[in-house]
Amino acid sequence: FPLQRNRRSFGSWSELVGELVDTFGAAEVFTDDSGELTGARGSYVLHGSTYVDDRNLGVRYRVTDPLAAYFGGADGLVEVNGELVCLDADGDCDGPRASYLEPQGQPTAATHVDLCGTSGVCVQFHSFYNKVVFPPYARHGSNVNFTTYSALPSTSMWTSGWIQTPSGPGFDMLLLPYEETIGEDSVESARWCFGNFECLEYQADRVCGGGEIDDIDVEGYRTTGNGPTGWACPG
């Protein structure tokens, strides 16, 4: 993964958002009254996993949020108009490594579901809910990853799901992209929004994901859920 060695610096929010759009693309951009870029929203799919080898700490990390990692680097901080801004979803950029850099071997969280088959082959289903208060940034999605061994050329996996605003009359729901892979070790589907408090991704209070794997040693479908809401995702 192209993790920046030096802290990124931008002269304005418009400059940062412009590079975000140029690098990752966007389904929609937001501007102020003067036409300056203030935010963007879009979706992405990820085949396989991306990693960073930290020679200083002697640890290998899996990059769980490519957008934040591209701009925030190792510690989650980016400089905008002379001020440091934390892009880490947990709001804590005081440590040496941001939370979107996941050390390999980290204990499984409650939003993960493990599935193991024969010969010790295991996969993990996961829904993730990430939200930064300022600058407003949200990224929610679902993935399926091999945790032991690797996919065969014939192995197929897919993941999808939805994000949802507070439950009740008039609630809104936005589907995650459906994505399927053949012969890959992981697949991920996500939606994101940056620089806008009103977009559905930022207002969402839960993400419900699901996925399926078809492999000669392990197969099955599982659902997962994440977010601050008390409403559970259907099993």
Side-chain angles (χ1 to χ4, degrees):
F1 186 86
L3 196 71
Q4 300 294 326
R5 298 183 64 181
N6 299 316
R7 180 166 296 149
R8 304 295 304 276
S9 179
F10 298 90
S12 65
W13 283 112
S14 179
E15 183 182 335
L16 186 153
V17 175
E19 181 163 336
L20 172 68
V21 173
D22 291 342
T23 304
F24 292 95
E28 182 180 4
V29 297
F30 308 104
T31 59
D32 59 20
D33 293 339
S34 64
E36 292 290 313
L37 286 171
T38 59
R41 61 189 293 263
S43 63
Y44 74 82
V45 294
L46 179 66
H47 292 198
S49 297
T50 55
Y51 299 92
V52 172
D53 291 318
D54 191 326
R55 296 183 179 180
N56 292 328
L57 297 182
V59 178
R60 192 181 202 206
Y61 294 88
R62 186 169 72 90
V63 180
T64 63
D65 187 338
L67 278 76
Y70 180 81
F71 289 99
D75 59 7
L77 288 169
V78 62
E79 182 178 336
V80 181
N81 196 24
E83 296 184 2
L84 292 180
V85 179
C86 179
L87 296 181
D88 198 344
D90 66 5
D92 182 8
C93 288
D94 293 332
R97 298 295 175 261
S99 67
Y100 50 70
L101 298 180
E102 182 180 272
Q104 296 306 285
Q106 181 173 317
T108 298
T111 53
H112 295 67
V113 176
D114 292 304
L115 177 64
C116 295
T118 60
S119 304
V121 178
C122 296
V123 295
Q124 190 175 84
F125 303 82
H126 176 48
S127 289
F128 52 90
Y129 177 96
N130 296 320
K131 186 174 177 180
V132 176
V133 175
F134 186 82
Y137 169 55
R139 183 189 70 102
H140 317 306
S142 174
N143 56 43
V144 185
N145 299 282
F146 269 81
T147 55
T148 62
Y149 296 96
S150 299
L152 299 172
S154 60
T155 301
S156 66
M157 295 191 296
W158 66 262
T159 189
S160 186
W162 69 90
I163 60 175
Q164 189 169 307
T165 57
S167 301
F171 74 88
D172 291 313
M173 184 172 69
L174 186 63
L175 294 177
L176 297 171
Y178 173 90
E179 187 63 15
E180 182 176 2
T181 64
I182 303 289
E184 300 281 356
D185 288 344
S186 68
V187 60
E188 181 168 297
S189 172
R191 286 193 175 274
W192 59 270
C193 183
F194 180 87
N196 186 283
F197 290 102
E198 304 300 326
C199 60
L200 182 58
E201 290 85 355
Y202 194 82
Q203 296 296 321
D205 69 347
R206 62 171 163 170
V207 54
C208 298
E212 186 171 10
I213 180 168
D214 186 2
D215 180 270
I216 62 173
D217 291 312
V218 58
E219 60 179 344
Y221 170 82
R222 295 293 187 273
T223 59
T224 54
N226 206 333
T229 182
W231 294 81
C233 296

